[in-house]
Amino acid sequence: MHRLWHQLLRKFRLMSRREQIALAATALLGLGAIGWVTWTELATTTPPSISMTTLIEDARKGQIQSASISQDAIELVYRDGWEASFRGQLPDETLVQLVQAGVDVSFGGSAFTDFFSKNGLALLMLLPMLMIAWQVLGGASRFAIGGPTKLLDPTAAKYRFSDVAGQDEAKDQMTEIVDFLRDPETFTRLGAKAPKGALMVGPPGVGKTLLARAVAGETHSAFIAVSGADFRQTFMGLGANKVRNMFKLARKNAPCLIFIDEIETLARKRSGSAGSGINSEEEATLNALLVEMDGFVGNKGVVVLAATNRPDLIDSAVLRPGRFDRRINLEIPDLTGRIGILKVHARNKVLAGNVDLEIVARRTTGMSGADLENLLNEAAIRGTKRAALAITMDDIDGAYFDVLLGRVRNGAILRDDDRRAIAVHEAGHAIAAATVEGAKRPQKATIVPRGRALGVVLSTPIEDRKLVSRQQLMGDIVVCLAGRAAELKAFGAAGVSTGAEDDFKQATSLASRMASLWSMATSTPVLSISDDSSTTARQKAEERAQTIIDDAWTQALEALDRHKNAHAALVVALLERESIEGAEIEAIVHAHADSRPPVRPIRAAE
Ligand code: ADP
Ligand code: ZN
């Protein structure tokens, strides 16, 4: 309480003058109203009296219909007609809790109507206070009332790693956390640094929550699951308080794993220049989280796993060493992953002999673990409706179209011809990356959709390198354009697709920077272009950038001509297995290398 008061005081100082005045006025009005109410209140006789704990408890259970507050007692009417009273004065917070729990709070009991006609103004003054009180606890109902104990999620205990199919890499990356939670003392005894937190990154439904549960289950740790949004929309330091209470609870129950879903809502970048930044309340909450994590003493046995689909939104302070300093990527599963997931969810279902999960997996490119679970559940429901003994392939087919329709609308599922087009396009990128001098080597090619970006995952982005040569930049642009170049060769000018939008954006941005900032379009340096440059100057720079694109385009077409067979082989491999590692891409290129030299020097600047 004392600490909360300090918090409030600090928050108050941080507020703008206008906010301060508004708040002070509201508080005064509220206090005045309460004073007025209590002063004019008549003492009334009281039914059996209950303790404050019972009062709060019953209110939370929704058993209390109304509470009428008088000077030194509160009369309660229960939903079942029972009456009770609480003797003494109620702290404002508790009052707020009652309101929040849906209790009809009034002042003055039966005299209320009478009172209102006389003192309507006082009541009106009370209104803003109640509104603020409502906001204080609003939106955070998960643990607004009754303390945070119910944050503990006992169901995690029954999960194991075997419940998480695929995602082997993610599981591997959990090893250290698992070892630590299993035995924090031993882990840290020789000075090993205890892991504090990790950030799980991946689209919805790929098993982030599931994996966190499994880590808790495997290590017999307590499990606390919250969402970043639970901490928002609170007022005056309460979010921070919730964070502290949560960690207190975790320490009490150590070893304990805290899972924070949608961490980006809690830990947004602070620098939001365009009003997108976090406000001071959110900042206080975030700071409380960081302070708690920094404060872990070695072997306490508390680890925080956070999940997000938008790592780009997260404040970098959150990712520093000793905080969420490990990043664990979870992807939409590929074929092998989908087979595994289907098997996991088929364990408790009765499948007919004709059901071949591998065939199901082959048809569900792009579906997440949650989609696949959903698919089998829908199929089971269909089977049950037919009063069948087992789920048949027909049930799965029926369910497939339901689930698919939902997903196609979200653009996450590929039709067969799209699948082929994407394979051609991505194989184009991959071939260029593997063969064009200066290009970054391909790490992986895939036709599994990942958000907007389909395809080749390249290594370090430009910005991370210190000095970049013209050849490297050209290589990157050639790789960008090679997707479209491959489409052109495979499907003709009429068959090219919209799939290259991001490629062109990236190529354009690189080429214009080359032309306008780095003077790389011509052999003699030219004036660099800025926002202040004249229209003609900018036009010229654009023309120069276009020559770079033209040059890269020619190179992309040439690379694909030279490695036609490798490209075809890679397309087949992608259609078959969906993702191909970088080493294998290079092996395919090698195996299909023709007599001409595989790599041709890039033309120097003119
Ligand atoms: P996320 O937290 O990434 O949004 P969840 O963990 O909530 O996803 O996944 C939702 C459900 O989908 C899980 O409870 C599980 O039944 C199923 N699921 C998702 N990924 C997998 C997986 N890799 N293996 C098995 N089941 C999965
Ligand atoms: Zn592309």
Side-chain angles (χ1 to χ4, degrees), residues 163-165 167 203-210 341 344-345 369-370 373:
D163 296 312
V164 189
Q167 310 296 8
V206 292
K208 299 184 290 297
T209 317
L210 180 68
I341 293 169
V344 165
H345 292 284
E373 181 193 15

Side-chain angles (χ1 to χ4, degrees), residues 209-227:
T209 317
L210 180 68
L211 182 58
R213 283 214 170 90
V215 170
E218 285 278 349
T219 58
H220 307 290
S221 302
F223 186 64
I224 292 179
V226 292
S227 166

